[in-house]
Amino acid sequence: MIKAVILIGGPQKGTRFRPLSFDTPKHLFPVGGRPMVQHLIEACAKVDGLKEIFLLGYYQVDNSLNSFIRNMMAEYNVNIRYLQEYTTLGTCGGIYHFRDQICRHNPEAFFLINGDVCGDFNLPAMLNFHRSIPKSEEGAMTVMVTEATRQQSLNYGCVVEEKETHKILHFVEKPSTFVSTIINCGVYLCPLNIFNQVAAVIKAKQESNTSETGDERYADDYSDLNISKTNDDLPEILSLEEDILTRLAGTDHLYAFHTNQWWCQVKTSASAIYANRNYLKLYKENQSQFLSAKSQDGPEIIGDVWIDSKADVDPTATIGPNVTIGPGVRVGAGVRIKESIILKDAMIGDHSLILHSIIGYNTVIGCWTRIEGTPSDPNPDKAFAKMENQTLFNKDGKLNPSITVLGSNVQVPSGLLVLNSIVLPHKELGRSYRNEIIL
Amino acid sequence: MKALILVGGYGTRLRPLTLSKPKPLIEFCNKPMILHQIEALVEANVNHIILAVSYRAEMLEKALKAEEERLKIRISISFEEEPLGTAGPLALARHLLLEDNEPFFVLNSDIICDFPFQEMILFHKMHGKEGTIAVNKVNEPSKYGVVVYDNRGQIKEFIEKPQEYISNRINSGLYIFNTSILNRIQLKPTSIEKEVFPEMAKDGQLYAFELKGFWMDVGQPKDFLMGMSLYLEFLRDTQPLSLHQGPGIYGNVLIDPTAKIGPNCRIGPNVSIGPNVVIEEGVCIKRCTILRDSSVKSHSWLDNCLIGWKCCIGRWVRMENTCVLGEDVIVKDELYLNSVKVLPNKSINASVPEPNVIL
């Protein structure tokens, strides 16, 4: 038996995904028409013998989470449970805390997946690779890795491996100088005795805590899922990357599984547009029934487009490429939408144009408006280039041009322009905005 | 009676439009700018019009020849070898102006107003002095020639572009002079505002005639659009039937009968659309001039733009803040142009979100 744990973090995390994360936990944000985490659940459900998936985080349980889990169980015929941490325990502290749940029924191994990664994951292949590793007594852990550019590798966990065996010789999280172009994808396959390793680390930390205070290793913490400095004196708060992978590298217990498929991390809202496009592309390859096609009385469709069956799109509209339109959305006459995500119940007035933008729930856009963002896609001329999860502001303190995000329940009157801007929920715009954050 | 119109040079302030056509021929509310003046002068019994130009333009000469026949008047072109300013051209045309001893009009060619020339003549004859300047009230007088006069209209001071506030009455650029003014002007580059008017004022020879209606110097794009709005309001009062009406038309809109407007458009207020222009479905246009043979494709939105001849604006285009397109400019679908001047024969393939000139 196999299990899986998907780390979905908590409300204090995913701040770079604001304002969209105000309304929905980031991992329930729809890309390709379905919540981000659903794509991961679907990838898990393709693994033979995978019986149980845990969503691990510190969100308060609510109806949306419960109904999401119910729907997922029905759709994928797999047991799914939410494990709520009492506080943010880091990428490893949480699984250790719930180790009894994970170990119950003695599974062969469990997948551990960072909830903010998107991609075309072939988990059965990863499991086959894992099973082919010459087993030592303690068992080994497998890390999914991919290739990045030299420069971008510095933003990720970098892996150095032994070429023939894929044994990981060295692991370092976000190095300041170049180490390797092979990076950690945030998808792992762990043997149960990983918990023995974790126990040893906790013991070592407890011992060091009594002799020294503070630990500068956590000072440079950018990852949403890594633990924060304020809590790091709690020995049960553990980072998988820094506390475990770093230690396991160079032993016989850590192996790299390579993927060349599309992969990205969703940190900023701009990366949601990129992930959306790539999931739509995957549908075209594997599940083309999800994509909209031009019909007799439907709108003009260009490229990959997902329109929810409960959306109402005027036949004179032109949609695509790379657009997802959620349920209850109304799109008026002569509207043009391209490279964008329109969330549930939004309304787009006649003749408006939406480019590289995310339109929030219930947001109402008038006629002849122009909602436009600037894409920040991976450099197409560079092999292995990844999405830049760029910072909001540049060195001069100016807003970096990025996609336009309208939060939920925003109102944009007719004739206005919103360019490269972020509008927080419940705003009624009175004029055009360019390169601004509208509180 | 005679009139001299100061056309001057290349009209660089109205570029890129003046790269394709001499400024006097650029259509203001579907009529060449100079014809607004010429027709009003003919109404006031002017039968000889002298155009003072400092560059050769065959197109202009040909057009005026046609007008000469149509209006049955005489049109002379007084060509300056070198630019002579605003007074020098009077000296150059001296032989024409002295063909009789009647007073004559002098006009800056960029002025649009309701041209009350007959009342000006009456006023001029009534005070009997050498010159009459039309004046009007503006909010920001510092960029104009400011005029101070007494309650009979006699001008006490004439100060060109004053640094500090003196008066809100400014020189409107329409004058009547007796032929004796020619004794004050030599054949060399001279400014009538700086060198002649202050002297005449000192001599008590200059009177101010107050314009009652609208007035605008339309020599640059922003003012051109402002002047258009004022002129359309003037048409509303004087010839309301010349304005367009119907569904989707808001406020004062002038549309040439040969232009085609698609369904579900929102046109106006203050729009002037020239001959053979095609506006497709669902277009919104406010405060724009669109010159002949241009087309605007579906769902575009234009505000405060001056679109030259034979332009083609794509679908879902947004243009605003005094964009000016020269002749035969193509704007591709879905672009945004903000305060952009585009020279003739360009094809725009990417948005220009900041004010710029596209060579």
Side-chain angles (χ1 to χ4, degrees), chain B residues 22-314:
Chain B
K23 188 171 64 178
L25 298 184
I26 288 173
E27 297 91 337
F28 175 85
C29 296
N30 291 347
K31 188 192 285 183
M33 277 167 70
I34 196 108
L35 274 193
H36 287 271
Q37 298 190 327
I38 290 178
E39 288 180 1
L41 288 166
V42 171
E43 285 274 296
N45 300 317
V46 170
N47 52 17
H48 183 195
I49 291 168
I50 304 152
L51 260 58
V53 297
S54 63
Y55 69 106
R56 281 242 180 257
E58 210 181 310
M59 202 192 285
L60 181 61
E61 285 164 32
K62 231 167 131 180
L64 291 173
K65 199 94 220 149
E67 292 304 323
E68 211 173 19
E69 284 165 24
R70 182 176 72 95
L71 297 167
K72 302 189 173 53
I73 54 164
R74 180 176 162 206
I75 300 179
S76 311
I77 292 188
S78 174
F79 174 70
E80 304 158 40
E81 295 286 342
E82 58 162 337
L84 292 172
T86 46
L90 275 69
L92 186 67
R94 183 187 172 89
H95 62 289
L96 296 171
L97 297 170
L98 286 178
E99 281 178 4
D100 59 42
N101 203 24
E102 282 280 295
F104 56 87
F105 286 101
V106 174
L107 273 56
N108 283 346
S109 70
D110 298 343
I111 303 306
I112 286 292
C113 66
D114 56 1
F115 301 119
F117 291 131
Q118 284 175 334
E119 290 153 58
M120 266 182 91
I121 297 169
L122 287 177
F123 177 79
H124 183 73
K125 292 201 166 144
M126 194 186 73
H127 67 69
K129 293 292 194 292
E130 197 168 76
T132 298
I133 304 182
V135 299
N136 59 294
K137 206 166 125 182
V138 292
N139 289 331
E140 294 178 46
S142 65
K143 60 174 176 172
Y144 301 102
V146 171
V147 180
V148 180
Y149 51 91
D150 66 17
N151 53 15
R152 290 170 303 131
Q154 191 178 42
I155 293 177
K156 299 299 171 194
E157 275 187 287
F158 186 100
I159 299 138
E160 187 65 14
K161 299 189 176 70
Q163 301 283 315
E164 280 178 46
Y165 180 86
I166 294 163
S167 150
N168 57 8
R169 303 301 156 126
I170 61 141
N171 171 11
S172 311
L174 312 174
Y175 323 118
I176 302 180
F177 301 123
N178 293 341
T179 49
S180 58
I181 192 179
L182 295 169
N183 301 328
R184 297 174 182 270
I185 303 169
Q186 287 167 4
L187 186 57
K188 61 175 190 187
T190 312
S191 160
I192 201 166
E193 297 88 354
K194 288 183 187 149
E195 297 172 63
V196 181
F197 289 162
E199 290 300 311
M200 288 172 76
K202 209 192 288 170
D203 297 347
Q205 290 293 326
L206 205 54
Y207 274 70
F209 170 82
E210 290 183 351
L211 289 180
K212 297 288 182 292
F214 74 105
W215 175 91
M216 199 71 208
D217 177 336
V218 295
Q220 45 192 326
K222 216 178 167 165
D223 298 337
F224 186 99
L225 294 170
M226 184 68 219
M228 173 194 69
S229 305
L230 296 172
Y231 182 78
L232 292 179
E233 185 59 30
F234 168 68
L235 285 185
R236 166 75 60 199
D237 293 339
T238 56
Q239 313 167 41
L241 293 178
S242 64
L243 296 177
H244 207 83
Q245 262 159 25
I249 304 291
Y250 295 79
N252 300 332
V253 174
L254 186 65
I255 300 178
D256 187 277
T258 60
K260 289 190 181 68
I261 311 290
N264 304 320
C265 286
R266 192 195 188 289
I267 314 282
N270 301 317
V271 172
S272 158
I273 292 176
N276 301 320
V277 166
V278 177
I279 309 289
E280 288 187 359
E281 189 192 345
V283 171
C284 179
I285 305 177
K286 293 186 271 186
R287 214 174 189 267
C288 291
T289 286
I290 300 180
L291 297 178
R292 63 161 59 230
D293 301 323
S294 286
S295 61
V296 182
K297 298 223 152 50
S298 298
H299 316 302
S300 284
W301 186 93
L302 309 180
D303 183 18
N304 260 296
C305 298
L306 229 174
I307 310 296
W309 314 267
K310 297 181 193 141
C311 288
C312 181
I313 294 167

Side-chain angles (χ1 to χ4, degrees), chain A residues 92-348:
Chain A
C92 188
I95 57 167
Y96 186 71
H97 182 79
F98 289 107
R99 60 191 179 280
D100 292 347
Q101 306 274 2
I102 296 167
C103 295
R104 227 172 124 208
H105 302 309
N106 199 27
E108 174 191 349
F110 64 96
F111 284 98
L112 176 61
I113 304 175
N114 278 350
D116 60 0
V117 298
C118 290
D120 180 10
F121 298 112
N122 187 345
L123 299 186
M126 187 173 179
L127 181 60
N128 284 342
F129 170 86
H130 183 79
R131 284 174 174 158
S132 73
I133 298 168
K135 290 285 183 307
S136 65
E137 263 178 45
E138 296 85 21
M141 176 173 168
T142 300
V143 182
M144 187 183 285
V145 298
T146 192
E147 182 101 28
T149 63
R150 264 181 92 90
Q151 198 205 350
Q152 287 184 325
S153 69
L154 304 182
N155 303 323
Y156 298 95
C158 292
V159 170
V160 182
E161 62 170 355
E162 195 177 74
K163 274 268 172 313
E164 302 75 36
T165 61
H166 300 299
K167 194 186 286 176
I168 293 177
L169 302 175
H170 185 64
F171 179 88
V172 55
E173 182 67 10
K174 298 188 184 103
S176 52
T177 57
F178 176 70
V179 173
S180 165
T181 55
I182 301 172
I183 59 163
N184 174 9
C185 292
V187 178
Y188 316 94
L189 194 47
C190 308
L192 293 187
N193 65 15
I194 182 83
F195 295 119
N196 297 339
Q197 304 281 354
V198 180
V201 170
I202 292 175
K203 191 156 172 268
K205 279 183 89 176
Q206 276 164 336
E207 281 164 8
S208 75
N209 267 2
T210 54
S211 55
E212 58 177 293
T213 53
D215 190 334
E216 290 306 311
R217 280 179 305 155
Y218 302 120
D220 192 30
D221 178 13
Y222 296 113
S223 164
D224 290 343
L225 285 167
N226 284 357
I227 59 175
S228 66
K229 180 152 171 68
T230 47
N231 286 333
D232 75 351
D233 43 354
L234 279 174
E236 58 270 38
I237 294 177
L238 289 171
S239 155
L240 181 76
E241 296 82 0
E242 316 223 4
D243 292 314
I244 307 300
L245 297 184
T246 314
R247 281 167 220 233
L248 285 180
T251 72
D252 291 337
H253 306 306
L254 199 60
Y255 282 80
F257 168 74
H258 284 256
T259 179
N260 298 320
Q261 301 302 104
W262 159 63
W263 171 86
C264 81
Q265 259 180 322
V266 173
K267 298 286 188 190
T268 60
S269 34
S271 44
I273 297 268
Y274 173 70
N276 184 60
R277 180 193 325 151
N278 281 283
Y279 274 128
L280 293 179
K281 198 168 140 197
L282 282 185
Y283 294 157
K284 190 167 61 188
E285 290 159 14
N286 310 318
Q287 297 165 290
S288 58
Q289 74 277 12
F290 287 147
L291 295 181
S292 306
K294 171 72 190 161
S295 65
Q296 197 89 58
D297 49 358
E300 179 90 20
I301 302 288
I302 300 171
D304 302 341
V305 171
W306 161 299
I307 299 176
D308 191 279
S309 58
K310 291 193 279 298
D312 175 14
V313 180
D314 192 279
T316 60
T318 305
I319 315 290
N322 305 318
V323 171
T324 296
I325 294 179
V329 169
R330 278 195 281 159
V331 175
V335 167
R336 175 84 183 94
I337 307 177
K338 199 165 136 177
E339 301 283 352
S340 295
I341 299 174
I342 316 296
L343 297 175
K344 199 164 164 264
D345 298 328
M347 268 176 68
I348 318 289

Side-chain angles (χ1 to χ4, degrees), chain A residues 316 318 334-336 338 351-353 355 368 370 372 415-417 419 432 434-435, chain B residues 264-266 282-284 299-301 316-318 320 334-336 338 351 353-354:
Chain A
T316 60
T318 305
V335 167
R336 175 84 183 94
K338 199 165 136 177
H351 317 295
S352 287
L353 173 68
L355 298 175
W368 285 292
R370 185 184 180 96
E372 183 180 12
L416 297 191
L417 164 76
L419 177 64
S432 292
R434 309 190 318 159
N435 309 307
Chain B
N264 304 320
C265 286
R266 192 195 188 289
V283 171
C284 179
H299 316 302
S300 284
W301 186 93
W316 292 290
V317 167
R318 182 188 178 98
E320 59 186 329
E334 299 167 19
L335 299 185
Y336 171 47
N338 176 24
S351 288
E354 300 299 329

